[in-house]
Amino acid sequence: CTLVLTLIDILENRQKNVDAARNVLERICTNGEYDFQDADDLAQCHAAWIELELRQENWDMALNLARRAVAGNVGKKGSKAARGLSRSLRLWNLLFDLEESLGTVQTTKDAYDRALEIKVATPSHVLNYASFLKEKKYFEESFAAYERGIGLFPFPHAGATLLWKSYLTDFLERYDGSKTPRARELFDRCIADCPSEESPEFFLLYGNYEETHGLTKRALGVYERMCNTV
């Protein structure tokens, strides 16, 4: 991999021969002339090709290369490294960035949905996906993304706290006091599964919500549960 990347750098930057650099990358990435043992090494070569096209401002080609790479249908058939491309976080991160800047809302959603489906997405990807949908005014789809993320990363996974905190914050920001039963259901689910040492901030958020939009009696009930739990 280091040899390939060094050769690409020489061809592109010293000899100013982009076509030759592209030809080398096509032979490595598409034709599978070298059988990499490590999927990440092959992923680095694919990323180098995508970045080469970005530097040449070939936006559509860069996006198509990223889509093709994570689809796992390039390179030498049967190659372990080629099969591993579909799980490369390096390539998925590139694809998400390119979809959000160059693709459509639908193709971006398709990319995130695919990553969630094959369970390659991380908690950070879920947060980014939900934020993207919120920015595009797809609020309910944003909440659905959180639900999928919580399903993939339940407590006691470290990402669960971040997901729940962002989910509850976005939900309360969106609906304020107009969806009280649904808000209570979310709080109750969160607190039921949350480890006691991480639950105080959720109890306090819940209690504050009841003080603001619910009943004092309910708020006191939440605080009493917190005292018994923590």
Side-chain angles (χ1 to χ4, degrees):
C1 175
T2 303
L3 181 62
V4 173
L5 298 180
T6 302
L7 177 58
I8 297 307
D9 179 62
I10 291 171
L11 292 171
E12 180 187 5
N13 298 311
R14 296 188 193 177
Q15 298 187 5
K16 308 299 180 184
N17 191 341
V18 175
D19 287 339
R22 186 180 288 118
N23 179 259
V24 170
L25 288 165
E26 185 171 4
R27 288 163 53 197
I28 294 294
C29 299
T30 304
N31 301 338
E33 289 191 9
Y34 181 81
D35 190 10
F36 288 95
Q37 296 303 305
D38 190 336
D40 190 58
D41 287 339
L42 181 56
Q44 285 189 63
C45 293
H46 279 273
W49 192 358
I50 294 165
E51 289 161 359
L52 171 72
E53 299 303 342
L54 289 174
R55 288 191 293 274
Q56 299 304 311
E57 299 185 0
N58 294 328
W59 316 120
D60 289 344
M61 186 171 184
L63 181 55
N64 287 332
L65 288 172
R67 288 171 176 167
R68 187 182 68 166
V70 299
N73 56 4
V74 292
K76 189 175 181 181
K77 288 185 178 180
S79 165
K80 179 181 177 182
R83 292 197 307 271
L85 290 178
S86 63
R87 306 198 65 80
S88 168
L89 288 179
R90 181 193 301 273
L91 292 176
W92 278 107
N93 287 335
L94 256 178
L95 178 61
F96 294 145
D97 287 343
L98 292 175
E99 289 289 7
E100 289 191 30
S101 58
L102 301 173
T104 65
V105 171
Q106 188 58 53
T107 60
T108 304
K109 288 163 61 177
D110 289 344
Y112 277 111
D113 286 339
R114 176 61 178 160
L116 286 165
E117 182 184 331
I118 66 174
K119 298 182 179 180
V120 74
T122 66
S124 292
H125 292 148
V126 177
L127 292 172
N128 290 341
Y129 187 21
S131 178
F132 171 79
L133 292 168
K134 175 185 172 183
E135 182 183 316
K136 300 299 182 183
K137 311 297 184 186
Y138 291 91
F139 297 107
E140 285 300 327
E141 289 189 43
S142 173
F143 301 145
Y146 280 123
E147 289 287 350
R148 294 179 70 183
I150 289 164
L152 283 177
F153 307 104
F155 288 116
H157 191 284
T161 299
L162 292 173
L163 292 173
W164 269 112
K165 189 185 300 184
S166 185
Y167 186 7
L168 289 167
T169 299
D170 283 356
F171 186 87
L172 298 183
E173 179 185 296
R174 171 63 178 164
Y175 291 118
D176 200 22
S178 65
K179 299 275 186 179
T180 301
R182 188 171 164 195
R184 286 172 177 156
E185 186 266 338
L186 287 177
F187 276 118
D188 287 335
R189 280 174 51 206
C190 174
I191 289 169
D193 295 333
C194 184
S196 59
E197 64 272 14
E198 296 182 36
S199 65
E201 63 180 321
F202 295 115
F203 274 112
L204 291 171
L205 189 63
Y206 193 0
N208 182 69
Y209 177 81
E210 288 293 357
E211 288 188 53
T212 306
H213 303 292
L215 301 170
T216 302
K217 183 179 179 180
R218 279 185 173 272
L220 290 171
V222 170
Y223 295 137
E224 184 176 357
R225 285 171 63 192
M226 178 174 71
C227 292
N228 291 328
T229 300
V230 179

